[in-house]
Amino acid sequence: MRTRFLPSEIRLTRIPSLAATHAKEADGFLYHIANASMASLLLQEGLPLNKRHPLMLTEQNGISAWLAKLSDYVPDNNSADAVILRLRRIMVEDALEPDPDHTAEFASNCYLLSGNFKCAIT
């Protein structure tokens, strides 16, 4: 049973926030925002699949709303610690579940990386 996606297989990379928030077209990637220490761990070990505590992912147009939400909850408005991670959507597609709450809040499609793999019916 799969317990994580390795960084190399999903092309997990750290990207500058300006590059992520200023692109005009949808792309084939999903994004996760974490603090610097968690981002470093994810870049080394990959993304865990945990049904009880799934990672949230968003499409590109949800990044600005996620960063704004973080700045509301971080003391002293210090969201400089936030790191944007990008991964290939197609590589995790089967392990995603829709996240309707964050989708409504961010006005962008959001997902939970739960590991509940979808099976094709034949």
Side-chain angles (χ1 to χ4, degrees), residues 4 7 12 14 32-48 53-56 66 81-85:
R4 70 180 52 255
L12 186 63
R14 178 182 180 152
H32 178 74
I33 299 176
N35 65 33
S37 60
M38 178 57 79
S40 178
L41 182 66
L42 294 173
L43 285 165
Q44 289 174 5
E45 297 184 6
L47 302 184
H53 303 288
L55 285 178
M56 187 181 88
W66 194 341
D81 191 33
V83 174
I84 302 171
L85 299 175

Side-chain angles (χ1 to χ4, degrees), residues 29-33 54-67 69 87 89 92-93 95-114 118:
F29 294 95
L30 291 173
Y31 300 85
H32 178 74
I33 299 176
L55 285 178
M56 187 181 88
L57 302 170
T58 189
E59 292 179 349
Q60 190 172 32
N61 58 354
I63 294 171
S64 294
W66 194 341
L67 290 171
K69 183 176 181 172
L87 59 130
R89 178 190 188 114
V92 299
E93 192 84 48
L96 297 176
E97 291 183 31
D99 182 353
D101 295 332
H102 284 109
T103 294
E105 181 180 7
F106 293 176
S108 174
N109 289 330
C110 294
Y111 307 92
L112 298 174
L113 186 65
S114 66
K118 303 168 196 155

